[in-house]
Amino acid sequence: MNPSDKGLADRSGLVFRQDYFDDPAGWSAIKTLLIDIFDVDISALDGLGGHDRTSFPSAYFDGDGRCIANLSAFSMPLMIDGRAIKAAGWQSGAVRPEYRGRGLYQDLIRITLDRCEEQGLEAIVLYTDKPGLYTPHGFRILPQYSFKGPAPAISEAPRPARLLDINTDLDLLRKLLTDRMPVSSRFAVADQRLMFLLNCHLIEDISLSLLADGEAVVVWRLADDGAFQLLDVAGSRIPPLTEIVAGLGIAPVSVEAFVTPDRLSWESEAIADTGSQVFMMHAQNDIYPTGPTCISPMAEF
Ligand SMILES: CC(C)(COP(=O)(O)OP(=O)(O)OC[C@H]1O[C@@H](n2cnc3c(N)ncnc32)[C@H](O)[C@@H]1OP(=O)(O)O)[C@@H](O)C(=O)NCCC(=O)NCCS
């Protein structure tokens, strides 16, 4: 048993554990749970220095050391309408099928809510396809949008960007993420380095391009219809879209941004996301953003 475990509430022969990711057996058990339930392999994190040290998971284990139920929270500071908000993301919420319907997940939700309150967090965010699990606990759906518009006209002579490699340019990427300005002042992640790096491994077909001044990396891809898709910009300054497109040396027919675009100096239309996954938030009313927003897929968790 890891000495950092804080509670041992036994429930039907189960062992309650918290903050167990530093225990190699515990870390292996949560990875197995996520593969079994979501078919998601987070082993890439091991090559990135391991789990997020801000995580505070709560879980039930069986007598054989299998993780049978888990809910993790981690620090995810947000920028909302110009305010820095101390927030947490919730992820890896799952119960093994043979243990469902006993109230284990409701327990984990209540425990994790209490822990967030103890830490003075102003907001909690999560993605789910089962919003009904969370609405009784005060979470509300925050509709997500993408932003579409014409490609900007390029007037200046382009200063070519350089393609980065997630493996060989890791130190540079880490530095850019550490120094980053939120991509939007209306709604964006203010600091979530590990998720960005993990998503570089999990999201297919993306390119990372370092702009000529070395101050920002652009995450992008070209859609089948020729649209330029902007997934994120990480760096100490957020360049206008004209500079981004010029630097990449492309001539797209249109642009679709998956970030709230207020810092891009570009006119666009908000298109509501109608996917089955919804984004939910738990916060005081005055913290919810005004107007259509989007959180970068590179921050998805
Ligand atoms: C969703 C899941 C975590 C529920 O675990 P569980 O231990 O069976 O849940 P509990 O027994 O604690 O709670 C069940 C309660 O939630 C409700 N619930 C269960 N599934 C629900 C759903 N899909 N939508 C809304 N409510 C749901 C039940 O009606 C029950 O409510 P009650 O307490 O008022 O009777 C589990 O089914 C699971 O792991 N599913 C696959 C992974 C997943 O979807 N995770 C959630 C990701 S956000």
Side-chain angles (χ1 to χ4, degrees), residues 37-38 93-96 99-107 126-134:
I37 306 296
F38 297 114
V95 177
R96 287 195 180 275
Y99 290 92
R100 289 181 188 164
R102 298 187 186 188
L104 292 183
Y105 198 61
Q106 295 295 323
D107 262 16
L126 58 80
Y127 290 94
T128 186
D129 60 353
K130 303 177 181 71
L133 280 174
Y134 303 99

Side-chain angles (χ1 to χ4, degrees), residues 210-290:
L210 181 69
L211 295 185
D213 65 3
E215 286 184 19
V217 61
V218 176
V219 187
W220 63 284
R221 68 183 159 214
L222 286 177
D224 292 341
D225 65 0
F228 169 68
Q229 294 188 333
L230 179 68
L231 281 76
D232 208 353
V233 184
S236 56
R237 95 188 161 95
I238 306 302
L241 191 63
T242 327
E243 186 184 328
I244 294 174
V245 172
L248 299 180
I250 52 173
V253 286
S254 60
V255 176
E256 185 172 18
F258 295 97
V259 293
T260 317
D262 49 290
R263 287 192 159 141
L264 297 176
S265 307
W266 167 65
E267 290 298 317
S268 62
E269 183 193 354
I271 313 287
D273 178 20
T274 53
S276 57
Q277 285 273 96
V278 295
F279 187 74
M280 300 188 87
M281 189 161 174
H282 182 289
Q284 301 283 350
N285 279 343
D286 63 343
I287 289 190
Y288 284 80
T290 51

Side-chain angles (χ1 to χ4, degrees), residues 45-260:
L45 279 177
D46 294 329
L48 296 168
H51 65 87
D52 182 339
R53 296 300 186 278
T54 70
S55 298
F56 46 108
S58 299
Y60 288 101
F61 281 63
D62 70 10
D64 296 328
R66 277 196 326 154
C67 182
I68 59 106
N70 180 79
L71 178 58
S72 309
F74 61 98
S75 170
M76 188 167 166
L78 296 171
M79 173 63 70
I80 305 181
D81 287 333
R83 280 176 63 194
I85 301 293
K86 198 177 163 198
W90 281 13
Q91 64 179 179
S92 309
V95 177
R96 287 195 180 275
E98 60 273 33
Y99 290 92
R100 289 181 188 164
R102 298 187 186 188
L104 292 183
Y105 198 61
Q106 295 295 323
D107 262 16
L108 295 177
I109 290 177
R110 278 188 292 269
I111 290 164
T112 311
L113 264 180
D114 286 350
R115 299 187 81 190
C116 288
E117 198 175 316
E118 280 160 20
Q119 294 189 23
L121 291 160
E122 300 170 87
I124 304 168
V125 291
L126 58 80
Y127 290 94
T128 186
D129 60 353
K130 303 177 181 71
L133 280 174
Y134 303 99
T135 38
H137 297 279
F139 284 81
R140 277 167 32 197
I141 292 176
L142 185 62
Q144 293 291 285
Y145 294 81
S146 64
F147 297 84
K148 285 189 177 163
I154 311 294
S155 51
E156 42 192 292
R159 299 175 63 211
R162 171 169 82 81
L163 273 179
L164 297 185
D165 180 282
I166 175 64
N167 296 308
T168 51
D169 294 307
L170 191 54
D171 289 345
L172 174 58
L173 283 167
R174 282 205 165 107
K175 179 162 178 5
L176 290 163
L177 288 164
T178 304
D179 298 341
R180 93 181 291 183
M181 164 192 256
V183 66
S184 159
S185 67
R186 292 193 33 236
F187 196 71
V189 170
D191 182 8
Q192 227 315 314
R193 300 163 212 181
L194 203 52
M195 210 55 67
F196 181 103
L197 296 173
L198 177 63
N199 282 327
C200 287
H201 290 277
L202 298 180
I203 303 177
E204 289 175 0
D205 302 331
I206 52 170
S207 297
L208 306 172
S209 295
L210 181 69
L211 295 185
D213 65 3
E215 286 184 19
V217 61
V218 176
V219 187
W220 63 284
R221 68 183 159 214
L222 286 177
D224 292 341
D225 65 0
F228 169 68
Q229 294 188 333
L230 179 68
L231 281 76
D232 208 353
V233 184
S236 56
R237 95 188 161 95
I238 306 302
L241 191 63
T242 327
E243 186 184 328
I244 294 174
V245 172
L248 299 180
I250 52 173
V253 286
S254 60
V255 176
E256 185 172 18
F258 295 97
V259 293
T260 317

